[in-house]
Amino acid sequence: MRADDRATNFHDVIAAISAAEKTAGRAPGSVTLIAVSKTFGAQDIRPVLDAGHRDFGENKVQEAQGKWPALKAAYADVRLHLIGPLQSNKAKDAVALFDAIHSIDRPKIARAVADEMAKQARKLQLFVQVNTGEEPQKAGVMPREAAAFLAMCRDELKLEIAGLMCIPPVEEEPAVHFAFLEKLARETGVAGLSMGMSSDYETAIEFGATHVRIGSAIFGSR
Ligand SMILES: *Cc1c(COP(=O)(O)O)cnc(C)c1O
């Protein structure tokens, strides 16, 4: 894919997000686009940075360390979102590089991130991932444990939780999962909703997504 294709794709996605906000009766700009650049190199990412975009998502700490320090130095105000599972031995590196983590899903990780934020005097935007499909191979806190886990993060670790995140099972109707996550967020007093990918982000916006994570619709297939 050529560089100008990526800029075109990016503008198309931005237009589709605006249209979906309008259709859903949502305020313009109420949805943050996270351009998911995993597996793509700096030369693929630059056209989207040059188009003025600043929120990007990566799913692996080590991969992000290979390309983002230089890009962050070259483009001011980049906000980097970790959207993949985090191991506690990577918490230090993750807190140093990322501005948001969407995959907080167990006490050990919450504690490691809280400790590192205190040590490094950095405050990241944190999302709790919920395994809404209760899939054994997938990360995320189980729905029935979500309220207790949120209480532990807030009361014990004094963490501010910006939102909930989910990845619906591929073979299921995503709307059901988006509606479930929205209800859970309402019940637990969480404001943000990180949900919706290339194939279903317009539906996610209809159900209240505040952050959509879009890779292939911008960068092409991986
Ligand atoms: C890769 C990835 C995305 C983006 O997926 P696309 O279908 O390419 O838009 C979103 N969220 C997570 C957690 C991902 O790993």
Side-chain angles (χ1 to χ4, degrees):
M1 193 178 285
R2 299 199 320 270
D4 53 349
D5 293 333
R6 297 224 161 80
T8 303
N9 292 345
F10 163 71
H11 287 297
D12 288 349
V13 168
I14 286 288
I17 288 173
S18 294
E21 284 174 341
K22 200 169 174 190
T23 305
R26 309 262 317 266
S30 53
V31 178
T32 298
L33 165 63
I34 299 169
V36 177
S37 49
K38 66 187 184 197
T39 77
F40 291 97
Q43 74 283 3
D44 304 311
I45 301 169
R46 278 181 185 274
V48 182
L49 283 161
D50 289 335
H53 196 60
R54 290 297 178 266
D55 285 275
F56 290 83
E58 291 283 344
N59 68 336
K60 294 193 176 110
V61 176
Q62 205 168 344
E63 182 188 336
Q65 282 177 312
K67 54 189 168 182
W68 279 101
L71 288 171
K72 273 192 148 188
Y75 294 83
D77 311 322
V78 163
R79 286 173 297 273
L80 204 54
H81 299 253
L82 178 62
I83 60 171
L86 177 61
Q87 307 301 322
S88 54
N89 63 354
K90 290 271 167 59
K92 183 182 178 183
D93 292 343
V95 168
L97 179 63
F98 287 89
D99 302 287
I101 298 176
H102 292 242
S103 50
I104 304 290
D105 68 349
R106 52 194 190 279
K108 195 177 177 190
I109 287 301
R111 226 171 253 125
V113 168
D115 286 352
E116 282 302 330
M117 290 201 307
K119 261 189 216 159
Q120 300 182 32
R122 278 178 58 75
K123 191 163 188 282
L124 279 67
Q125 205 182 22
L126 303 177
F127 293 75
V128 166
Q129 182 173 353
V130 182
N131 188 352
T132 59
E134 306 196 26
E135 296 173 280
Q137 81 285 4
K138 201 167 268 177
V141 63
M142 286 297 164
R144 64 183 170 279
E145 293 160 0
F149 180 63
L150 278 163
M152 180 259 173
C153 289
R154 288 161 157 171
D155 303 339
E156 197 181 310
L157 301 175
K158 311 294 178 207
L159 290 174
E160 205 175 294
I161 301 299
L164 301 182
M165 180 272 224
C166 77
I167 309 170
V170 281
E171 71 285 1
E172 286 183 30
E173 176 53 58
V176 174
H177 294 268
F178 299 154
F180 178 85
L181 199 69
E182 191 278 330
K183 182 167 176 278
L184 184 60
R186 215 168 350 104
E187 289 169 354
T188 52
V190 174
L193 286 169
S194 170
M195 57 189 198
M197 314 190 351
S198 292
S199 57
D200 56 20
Y201 67 94
E202 285 153 305
T203 306
I205 290 169
E206 198 183 312
F207 283 89
T210 59
H211 294 71
V212 292
R213 311 177 308 266
I214 302 181
S216 49
I218 296 171
F219 294 103
S221 56
R222 293 180 293 269

